[in-house]
Amino acid sequence: MTSVLFQRARVIDPRNGVDGVRDVLVTDGRVAQVSEAALPAPQDARVVDATGRWLVPGFIDLHVHLREPGEEGKETVLTGCRSAVAGGFTGVVAMPNTKVVNDSALVTELVLSRARAAALCHVYPAGAISKGLKGEELSEAGELIAAGCVALTDDGRPVMNAGLMRRVLQYATQFDVPVMVHEEDLTLSAGGAMHEGATSTRLGLRGIPSSAEVAMVARDLVLLEETKGRLHVAHVSCEGSVRLIREAKKRGLRVTCEVAPHHFTLDDRAVGDYDTHAKMAPPLRSDVDVKALREALVDGTVDAIATDHAPHGVSDKLVEFEKGINGIVGLETALGLTLALVHEGVLTPRRAVELLSDGPARVFSLPGGHLAPGAPADITLVSPLEEWTVDAHRFYSRSRNTPFHGRTLKGRVTQTWVGGRCVFEDGQLKESR
């Protein structure tokens, strides 16, 4: 089947200024036509009645841990791609902090090979800034980018060495790729288990101050201004970080940033009585920080919503809070949590779609993110008012670590199309293998 006709969908395409009822024709894996008038169905085309649903550019997640190679018990490229398309994501950027670090072309090629075999969504590897993520010696960035890496990052670990950080910002300008940073001053966060505040005091847990993130953001913005590179700040969690990034953008620096759904949804009180499912890095912050993140989503300071999908096994979380491993899975709950802001009146539908699609595509210069004729037919169909209850045991991800189990969300993916092929429909995968 080479043609698909979507009829009477509410098409939301922020890049092209479209928000209204349209017919969309897909031919040979690309968008052929977007029309206010009803389009005739080509012979042998599949016709999808999308009345009452949103048809939007396929979501792109800039921050996903697929765990392969090395920790396939937590996730694989295949299971991660299954989870992605179930959440409406047609593209994901795979972090390099696997147990065999992606600091060489061989590992990059392995990830891409596994993605081709999965044949579900686009996987864009990110390469390590430093060899072995040790923060001591630059990786072979040119080799990694030639092999298919779209960004450089030591995500999971901060680049504490300012000299190394300056060099990678300089070197990356040769390839015009972003340097993605996990901002954490380890001398300030060492020994901390959660955000430093009233909740950490009540629980008797050592806290991580906001300054652990904000100080590193400030340092790297100074280096960015000097090197004229491209900086992408991962999982921003603090009001102070937002303020610095906003000011840097006004000065014309090439800085972008992302916020994760858990950081704009929950504050540190979600830790409750030592719930390790609410343990992550950076930690859940204060209600003041949550408010600041939401404001930054609205005013354009934040460029993308990214999940920081971090699968872990049951044994990693069933321990004392201080010993629990940081991270939660997020691909299958991201849309519902984002649309909660729409239903609350914080975000417009157009802005929410932009943060999940066009924004991420622009940040890392990826294909997709829009629906102009000729664009890849990477499409997500959304039922915006459908209520559902999060059941971690039904995730397509191999892991279950989420603080949102049992929460009712409004807004669900009904179909995901990649390159004009339906890969997820009505709760079921459509795998071609």
Side-chain angles (χ1 to χ4, degrees):
M1 185 179 296
T2 58
S3 296
V4 184
L5 178 62
F6 299 92
Q7 295 180 323
R8 314 323 294 157
R10 178 182 176 181
V11 176
I12 305 176
D13 179 6
R15 186 182 300 187
N16 296 296
V18 176
D19 185 356
V21 176
R22 303 285 192 276
D23 279 11
V24 177
L25 178 64
V26 168
T27 302
D28 295 330
R30 294 195 171 271
V31 177
Q33 194 172 354
V34 179
S35 173
E36 291 187 60
L39 293 174
Q43 188 176 5
D44 298 326
R46 176 178 173 181
V47 177
V48 178
D49 181 0
T51 303
R53 287 182 282 178
W54 296 357
L55 188 153
V56 302
F59 305 148
I60 299 170
D61 193 338
L62 298 179
H63 197 149
V64 171
H65 298 271
L66 295 179
R67 302 300 185 207
E68 187 177 10
E71 290 186 295
E72 289 82 357
K74 297 182 178 184
E75 196 79 287
T76 65
V77 173
L78 173 60
T79 61
C81 288
R82 286 171 174 168
S83 183
V85 298
F89 290 92
T90 58
V92 298
V93 177
M95 295 296 101
N97 61 334
T98 41
K99 287 303 183 183
V100 180
V101 174
N102 187 6
D103 58 4
S104 72
L106 286 175
V107 180
T108 302
E109 290 162 1
L110 171 66
V111 173
L112 289 171
S113 174
R114 294 287 193 271
R116 286 191 295 270
L120 284 169
C121 69
H122 308 291
V123 175
Y124 305 104
I129 289 174
S130 64
K131 292 182 179 180
L133 302 182
K134 295 179 180 179
E136 299 169 355
E137 184 180 359
L138 282 180
S139 64
E140 297 295 337
E143 175 186 300
L144 289 166
I145 293 163
C149 288
V150 299
L152 299 173
T153 182
D154 273 3
D155 183 65
R157 300 183 188 182
V159 180
M160 289 294 295
N161 185 317
L164 182 69
M165 188 65 205
R166 186 175 185 272
R167 287 196 297 276
V168 72
L169 282 168
Q170 289 175 319
Y171 190 45
T173 60
Q174 299 180 39
F175 309 99
D176 196 30
V177 297
V179 177
M180 180 180 185
V181 283
H182 171 118
E183 300 289 46
E184 179 185 358
D185 186 326
L186 297 177
T187 67
L188 291 169
S189 66
M194 64 173 296
H195 175 65
E196 182 180 85
T199 303
S200 66
T201 300
R202 177 178 67 82
L203 296 176
L205 295 171
R206 184 169 176 176
I208 300 171
S210 297
S211 57
E213 175 179 302
V214 180
M216 290 289 276
V217 171
R219 183 203 74 174
D220 288 345
L221 289 174
V222 170
L223 297 175
L224 178 67
E225 187 164 20
E226 188 172 69
T227 60
K228 313 302 181 187
R230 287 174 64 185
L231 182 74
H232 179 72
V233 184
H235 44 49
V236 171
S237 71
C238 300
E239 183 277 333
S241 301
V242 165
R243 178 166 25 86
L244 289 173
I245 293 166
R246 183 181 289 118
E247 293 169 354
K249 286 189 169 194
K250 289 178 180 177
R251 297 203 314 273
L253 300 189
R254 300 178 73 191
V255 57
T256 55
C257 69
E258 67 188 44
V259 169
H262 46 270
H263 284 128
F264 64 66
T265 302
L266 303 174
D267 61 35
D268 59 337
R269 291 171 294 184
V271 171
D273 292 319
Y274 309 99
D275 182 4
T276 54
H277 287 303
K279 187 172 189 283
M280 56 209 65
L284 297 174
R285 298 290 186 181
S286 71
D287 57 347
V288 172
D289 294 306
V290 173
K291 182 175 183 291
L293 295 181
R294 291 182 172 204
E295 291 173 352
L297 288 166
V298 173
D299 70 18
T301 302
V302 175
D303 300 271
I305 290 172
T307 67
D308 193 6
H309 177 83
H312 291 299
V314 174
S315 61
D316 296 321
K317 292 291 188 178
L318 285 180
V319 292
E320 297 93 334
F321 192 87
E322 297 95 324
K323 296 179 181 178
I325 295 182
N326 292 311
I328 69 171
V329 291
L331 286 165
E332 295 174 60
T333 54
L335 174 66
L337 295 172
T338 301
L339 289 188
L341 298 187
V342 174
H343 299 312
E344 292 170 23
V346 176
L347 294 178
T348 64
R350 176 172 173 169
R351 179 64 178 148
V353 171
E354 181 179 30
L355 286 162
L356 289 166
S357 58
D358 185 40
R362 288 181 183 275
V363 168
F364 280 13
S365 304
L366 301 175
H370 68 103
L371 299 171
D378 297 342
I379 291 170
T380 301
L381 277 184
V382 173
S383 179
L385 300 179
E386 181 178 345
E387 291 191 349
W388 61 287
T389 300
V390 178
D391 183 351
H393 304 293
R394 297 174 65 86
F395 283 165
Y396 281 99
S397 171
R398 184 162 281 182
S399 293
R400 307 283 176 257
N401 50 307
T402 177
F404 299 111
H405 177 73
R407 176 178 287 224
T408 298
L409 299 176
K410 185 187 292 186
R412 196 167 197 173
V413 173
T414 60
Q415 292 181 6
T416 306
W417 295 73
V418 178
R421 180 171 67 90
C422 186
V423 293
F424 181 81
E425 183 173 11
D426 297 330
Q428 299 296 318
L429 292 169
K430 303 291 182 182
E431 297 181 83
S432 62
R433 297 172 308 108

